[in-house]
Amino acid sequence: MTNNFETFLESTGISFFYFKLLLGFVFSFLITYFAIPTIIKISRRKNLMDEPGARSSHLRKIPNLGGIAIFFSLGVCAPIFAYELFDRYKFLFASFIILFFVGVMDDIMVLRAYKKLLAQILVSALMVIGSDVRIRSLFGVFGIYEINYYVSVAFSLLTFIILINAFNLIDGIDGLAGSYTIITSALFGVSFFRLGSHNDPLVILCGILIAASLGFLFYNLSNKRSTKIFMGDTGSMILGFLLSFTGISFIEIFIAKRDEVFYHLQSAPVIAVAILILPIIDTLTVIITRIYHKKSVLSPDKNHIHHKLLNLGLTHRRSTVYIISYYLLIIIVAYFFRHLNVNWLLVLIMALGFLGAYLPIFLLRFKKD
């Protein structure tokens, strides 16, 4: 049936790929956009709200189940328009379901941290071991090329778990997580598109992610209390997981095709780090700050980049614009220096990342003086 329809479309001059990409984008946006008002209504009726706390950057109770709409959109559109991914990666949909269940439980009841971690380990293992989504080579970073299978599995598991949690940590102000998802998905999507038609399902997945995030941002950035919503752990864990998946898939492309006539990017792992630099740097700076102040690295605080910008007097939106703008600057630098030695490029990217993270601290001290 699908082959007949594809043949019919091609005969009319319409690309089946563009057809799926367009429909996937439109339906993903519409599902998210129209699902959220119902979620807001139920959240208010059942008092399923995010309560302001010591770490919160908001002052009123806000519904925090926006991730359900994002999951709904991805769960419907990805299997229909990017169905090849679920043949290629057998445990991808199961991972969706597990993260969705754990995320909703945490948003409603607040789960113990170790329970969320166990779920993240399970999901990561399903993808790394079950679906063989692994980092197999570092392309010469730190002098490392091919990685032993067991080391590759351990490193990939750690990468998934860290990025899922790191993405969760940047979801602290209006618009940041959604905007970051849009830009990151666009960058990976364009890269997948340029690297060959065999990556079309990944391009469509990125398009679906962008559309779902746009639908969510319409409400997340609303100035009306009655229409405002957060994505909660449900959304942040699913998006963090998918961005980890697309990042590792991006690196994998250059390994899988390196013996063919194909564009080979030696700095692929560093480019992936540059695209995912925001949650990586934010997490590292928080850990360094906690160690410096002799606190547990697991203790909650307000040392994230967005907290520092809020302390400078910036609004949520201006803080988001600053972070995203600086993030794009790092991406531009990474692109123009992509043929630099991988180790020097990594040093450059990380230095720029830390500079952006600590600049608000210096400005705050200067402002106080």
Side-chain angles (χ1 to χ4, degrees):
M1 179 66 180
T2 302
N3 290 334
N4 292 336
F5 184 64
E6 183 176 354
T7 303
F8 168 74
L9 279 179
E10 297 292 349
S11 67
T12 62
I14 301 173
S15 166
F16 189 49
F17 161 70
Y18 288 114
F19 177 78
K20 290 193 295 182
L21 179 61
L22 178 61
L23 283 187
F25 185 92
V26 170
F27 277 104
S28 178
F29 175 82
L30 291 177
I31 289 172
T32 308
Y33 181 82
F34 286 110
I36 287 181
T38 302
I39 293 171
I40 292 174
K41 186 184 297 183
I42 294 172
S43 296
R44 292 190 175 279
R45 186 177 300 167
K46 300 295 183 180
N47 197 32
L48 302 174
M49 314 279 274
D50 185 45
E51 300 277 354
R55 296 178 60 205
S56 303
S57 55
H58 61 285
L59 303 175
R60 295 176 295 187
K61 293 196 297 184
I62 303 293
N64 67 335
L65 295 176
I68 293 177
I70 294 172
F71 167 81
F72 184 30
S73 174
L74 291 166
V76 170
C77 295
I80 294 175
F81 301 108
Y83 52 84
E84 299 94 338
L85 287 177
F86 298 91
D87 289 331
R88 193 182 306 172
Y89 306 107
K90 302 296 184 183
F91 296 99
L92 182 58
F93 195 75
S95 300
F96 272 169
I97 299 297
I98 293 169
L99 287 175
F100 170 72
F101 176 77
V102 173
V104 170
M105 291 288 287
D106 188 52
D107 288 332
I108 294 175
M109 300 172 55
V110 184
L111 292 177
R112 299 280 293 274
Y114 81 90
K115 292 182 179 180
K116 287 197 295 182
L117 180 60
L118 286 175
Q120 292 163 8
I121 292 172
L122 173 60
V123 164
S124 302
L126 286 174
M127 292 304 297
V128 174
I129 301 172
S131 295
D132 203 33
V133 179
R134 296 185 289 115
I135 300 173
R136 306 166 196 269
S137 172
L138 291 185
F139 294 70
V141 176
F142 306 125
I144 301 171
Y145 289 88
E146 296 295 329
I147 306 176
N148 171 273
Y149 173 78
Y150 297 103
V151 175
S152 170
V153 166
F155 183 58
S156 302
L157 284 171
L158 194 61
T159 300
F160 263 109
I161 294 166
I162 289 174
L163 286 176
I164 290 171
N165 284 286
F167 188 88
N168 184 39
L169 294 176
I170 69 167
D171 182 30
I173 57 174
D174 296 343
L176 181 56
S179 300
Y180 175 74
T181 300
I182 290 170
I183 295 173
T184 303
S185 298
L187 290 168
F188 279 131
V190 170
S191 300
F192 290 137
F193 178 78
R194 294 180 62 194
L195 292 170
S197 60
H198 55 281
N199 298 312
D200 286 353
L202 287 167
V203 178
I204 294 171
L205 176 64
C206 290
I208 292 170
L209 276 168
I210 293 170
S213 299
L214 282 170
F216 165 76
L217 280 179
F218 182 85
Y219 298 96
N220 182 234
L221 291 173
S222 174
N223 289 322
K224 297 179 180 179
R225 187 182 176 188
S226 60
T227 58
K228 195 173 191 65
I229 195 169
F230 299 149
M231 68 170 61
D233 275 12
T234 307
S236 63
M237 285 203 296
I238 288 173
L239 293 178
F241 165 75
L242 286 175
L243 292 181
S244 305
F245 167 68
T246 52
I248 293 176
S249 297
F250 172 76
I251 299 171
E252 277 289 282
I253 289 172
F254 297 98
I255 297 173
K257 298 292 178 181
R258 65 183 177 182
D259 295 326
E260 302 177 14
V261 180
F262 190 81
Y263 174 66
H264 182 72
L265 185 62
Q266 186 67 27
S267 59
V270 182
I271 297 299
V273 168
I275 295 175
L276 298 169
I277 192 70
L278 177 56
I280 293 172
I281 286 295
D282 186 60
T283 301
L284 288 175
T285 52
V286 167
I287 290 173
I288 291 170
T289 302
R290 289 172 185 172
I291 292 174
Y292 177 78
H293 291 290
K294 298 179 180 179
K295 294 181 179 179
S296 167
V297 294
L298 300 176
S299 61
D301 55 32
K302 285 192 172 184
N303 285 313
H304 295 282
I305 298 172
H306 54 268
H307 288 135
K308 298 166 187 173
L309 292 171
L310 293 176
N311 290 337
L312 281 171
L314 273 66
T315 62
H316 280 225
R317 292 191 180 190
R318 288 185 177 180
S319 298
T320 294
V321 169
Y322 165 81
I323 294 172
I324 294 299
S325 299
Y326 193 83
Y327 162 68
L328 286 172
L329 173 64
I330 294 177
I331 296 298
I332 292 169
V333 171
Y335 177 78
F336 280 106
F337 289 95
R338 64 190 182 281
H339 297 301
L340 189 67
N341 174 275
V342 289
N343 290 292
W344 284 114
L345 182 59
L346 180 62
V347 170
L348 175 62
I349 296 305
M350 295 302 288
L352 286 173
F354 280 116
L355 176 63
Y358 283 104
L359 186 60
I361 297 177
F362 299 139
L363 292 175
L364 185 61
R365 289 179 180 175
F366 178 77
K367 186 178 179 181
K368 289 180 178 179
D369 294 339

mmCIF file of all heavy atoms in Angstrom, residues 285-297 358 365:
data_model
loop_
_atom_site.group_PDB
_atom_site.id
_atom_site.type_symbol
_atom_site.label_atom_id
_atom_site.label_comp_id
_atom_site.label_asym_id
_atom_site.label_seq_id
_atom_site.Cartn_x
_atom_site.Cartn_y
_atom_site.Cartn_z
ATOM 1 N N THR A 285 29.335 23.456 34.995
ATOM 2 C CA THR A 285 29.554 24.644 35.821
ATOM 3 C C THR A 285 28.872 24.505 37.185
ATOM 4 O O THR A 285 29.422 24.926 38.208
ATOM 5 C CB THR A 285 29.036 25.917 35.125
ATOM 6 O OG1 THR A 285 27.679 25.723 34.716
ATOM 7 C CG2 THR A 285 29.879 26.247 33.910
ATOM 8 N N VAL A 286 27.693 23.895 37.200
ATOM 9 C CA VAL A 286 26.991 23.678 38.467
ATOM 10 C C VAL A 286 27.787 22.731 39.358
ATOM 11 O O VAL A 286 27.955 22.972 40.561
ATOM 12 C CB VAL A 286 25.569 23.117 38.215
ATOM 13 C CG1 VAL A 286 24.966 22.593 39.513
ATOM 14 C CG2 VAL A 286 24.675 24.198 37.623
ATOM 15 N N ILE A 287 28.313 21.646 38.764
ATOM 16 C CA ILE A 287 29.111 20.676 39.531
ATOM 17 C C ILE A 287 30.369 21.334 40.081
ATOM 18 O O ILE A 287 30.718 21.162 41.251
ATOM 19 C CB ILE A 287 29.466 19.460 38.657
ATOM 20 C CG1 ILE A 287 28.205 18.623 38.371
ATOM 21 C CG2 ILE A 287 30.526 18.591 39.333
ATOM 22 C CD1 ILE A 287 28.427 17.497 37.383
ATOM 23 N N ILE A 288 31.051 22.107 39.237
ATOM 24 C CA ILE A 288 32.281 22.792 39.666
ATOM 25 C C ILE A 288 31.980 23.769 40.803
ATOM 26 O O ILE A 288 32.721 23.839 41.791
ATOM 27 C CB ILE A 288 32.929 23.539 38.473
ATOM 28 C CG1 ILE A 288 33.482 22.530 37.462
ATOM 29 C CG2 ILE A 288 34.036 24.472 38.955
ATOM 30 C CD1 ILE A 288 33.909 23.153 36.154
ATOM 31 N N THR A 289 30.891 24.519 40.680
ATOM 32 C CA THR A 289 30.505 25.488 41.711
ATOM 33 C C THR A 289 30.213 24.794 43.033
ATOM 34 O O THR A 289 30.627 25.260 44.102
ATOM 35 C CB THR A 289 29.267 26.294 41.258
ATOM 36 O OG1 THR A 289 29.561 26.953 40.025
ATOM 37 C CG2 THR A 289 28.891 27.335 42.305
ATOM 38 N N ARG A 290 29.495 23.677 42.975
ATOM 39 C CA ARG A 290 29.156 22.947 44.204
ATOM 40 C C ARG A 290 30.393 22.368 44.865
ATOM 41 O O ARG A 290 30.527 22.411 46.094
ATOM 42 C CB ARG A 290 28.149 21.838 43.878
ATOM 43 C CG ARG A 290 26.759 22.374 43.543
ATOM 44 C CD ARG A 290 25.825 21.281 43.035
ATOM 45 N NE ARG A 290 24.545 21.835 42.614
ATOM 46 C CZ ARG A 290 23.598 21.146 41.996
ATOM 47 N NH1 ARG A 290 23.785 19.864 41.704
ATOM 48 N NH2 ARG A 290 22.465 21.735 41.648
ATOM 49 N N ILE A 291 31.317 21.853 44.067
ATOM 50 C CA ILE A 291 32.561 21.319 44.622
ATOM 51 C C ILE A 291 33.387 22.444 45.256
ATOM 52 O O ILE A 291 33.954 22.290 46.339
ATOM 53 C CB ILE A 291 33.378 20.593 43.533
ATOM 54 C CG1 ILE A 291 32.650 19.316 43.098
ATOM 55 C CG2 ILE A 291 34.780 20.259 44.027
ATOM 56 C CD1 ILE A 291 33.296 18.607 41.921
ATOM 57 N N TYR A 292 33.425 23.590 44.567
ATOM 58 C CA TYR A 292 34.187 24.742 45.085
ATOM 59 C C TYR A 292 33.646 25.195 46.436
ATOM 60 O O TYR A 292 34.406 25.572 47.333
ATOM 61 C CB TYR A 292 34.118 25.890 44.074
ATOM 62 C CG TYR A 292 34.810 27.154 44.531
ATOM 63 C CD1 TYR A 292 36.201 27.267 44.467
ATOM 64 C CD2 TYR A 292 34.071 28.241 45.025
ATOM 65 C CE1 TYR A 292 36.839 28.431 44.892
ATOM 66 C CE2 TYR A 292 34.701 29.401 45.447
ATOM 67 C CZ TYR A 292 36.088 29.489 45.380
ATOM 68 O OH TYR A 292 36.714 30.641 45.811
ATOM 69 N N HIS A 293 32.334 25.144 46.590
ATOM 70 C CA HIS A 293 31.709 25.547 47.857
ATOM 71 C C HIS A 293 31.551 24.387 48.833
ATOM 72 O O HIS A 293 30.863 24.512 49.849
ATOM 73 C CB HIS A 293 30.337 26.184 47.587
ATOM 74 C CG HIS A 293 30.420 27.522 46.900
ATOM 75 N ND1 HIS A 293 30.886 28.657 47.523
ATOM 76 C CD2 HIS A 293 30.103 27.901 45.633
ATOM 77 C CE1 HIS A 293 30.846 29.681 46.676
ATOM 78 N NE2 HIS A 293 30.380 29.249 45.524
ATOM 79 N N LYS A 294 32.200 23.257 48.507
ATOM 80 C CA LYS A 294 32.223 22.066 49.364
ATOM 81 C C LYS A 294 30.808 21.557 49.669
ATOM 82 O O LYS A 294 30.480 21.195 50.801
ATOM 83 C CB LYS A 294 32.976 22.349 50.666
ATOM 84 C CG LYS A 294 34.441 22.710 50.434
ATOM 85 C CD LYS A 294 35.172 23.007 51.722
ATOM 86 C CE LYS A 294 36.629 23.358 51.456
ATOM 87 N NZ LYS A 294 37.361 23.687 52.693
ATOM 88 N N LYS A 295 29.983 21.538 48.619
ATOM 89 C CA LYS A 295 28.634 20.998 48.746
ATOM 90 C C LYS A 295 28.525 19.718 47.919
ATOM 91 O O LYS A 295 29.335 19.468 47.020
ATOM 92 C CB LYS A 295 27.596 22.018 48.242
ATOM 93 C CG LYS A 295 27.504 23.285 49.083
ATOM 94 C CD LYS A 295 26.430 24.203 48.520
ATOM 95 C CE LYS A 295 26.288 25.468 49.356
ATOM 96 N NZ LYS A 295 25.242 26.378 48.795
ATOM 97 N N SER A 296 27.525 18.932 48.208
ATOM 98 C CA SER A 296 27.286 17.723 47.425
ATOM 99 C C SER A 296 26.926 18.107 45.996
ATOM 100 O O SER A 296 26.179 19.062 45.774
ATOM 101 C CB SER A 296 26.146 16.907 48.049
ATOM 102 O OG SER A 296 25.716 15.898 47.155
ATOM 103 N N VAL A 297 27.452 17.355 45.013
ATOM 104 C CA VAL A 297 27.153 17.657 43.616
ATOM 105 C C VAL A 297 25.684 17.388 43.299
ATOM 106 O O VAL A 297 25.171 17.831 42.259
ATOM 107 C CB VAL A 297 28.037 16.818 42.660
ATOM 108 C CG1 VAL A 297 29.491 17.224 42.795
ATOM 109 C CG2 VAL A 297 27.865 15.324 42.910
ATOM 110 N N TYR A 358 30.212 31.683 32.788
ATOM 111 C CA TYR A 358 30.734 32.458 33.918
ATOM 112 C C TYR A 358 30.652 33.969 33.717
ATOM 113 O O TYR A 358 30.805 34.731 34.675
ATOM 114 C CB TYR A 358 32.191 32.058 34.200
ATOM 115 C CG TYR A 358 32.296 30.743 34.924
ATOM 116 C CD1 TYR A 358 32.681 29.585 34.270
ATOM 117 C CD2 TYR A 358 31.987 30.648 36.292
ATOM 118 C CE1 TYR A 358 32.767 28.363 34.935
ATOM 119 C CE2 TYR A 358 32.078 29.449 36.967
ATOM 120 C CZ TYR A 358 32.463 28.307 36.284
ATOM 121 O OH TYR A 358 32.531 27.110 36.955
ATOM 122 N N ARG A 365 29.112 40.637 39.774
ATOM 123 C CA ARG A 365 30.077 41.180 40.719
ATOM 124 C C ARG A 365 30.431 42.620 40.378
ATOM 125 O O ARG A 365 30.555 43.479 41.252
ATOM 126 C CB ARG A 365 31.346 40.319 40.729
ATOM 127 C CG ARG A 365 31.153 38.940 41.382
ATOM 128 C CD ARG A 365 32.409 38.135 41.356
ATOM 129 N NE ARG A 365 32.207 36.829 41.980
ATOM 130 C CZ ARG A 365 33.130 35.867 42.023
ATOM 131 N NH1 ARG A 365 34.323 36.074 41.447
ATOM 132 N NH2 ARG A 365 32.880 34.713 42.608
#
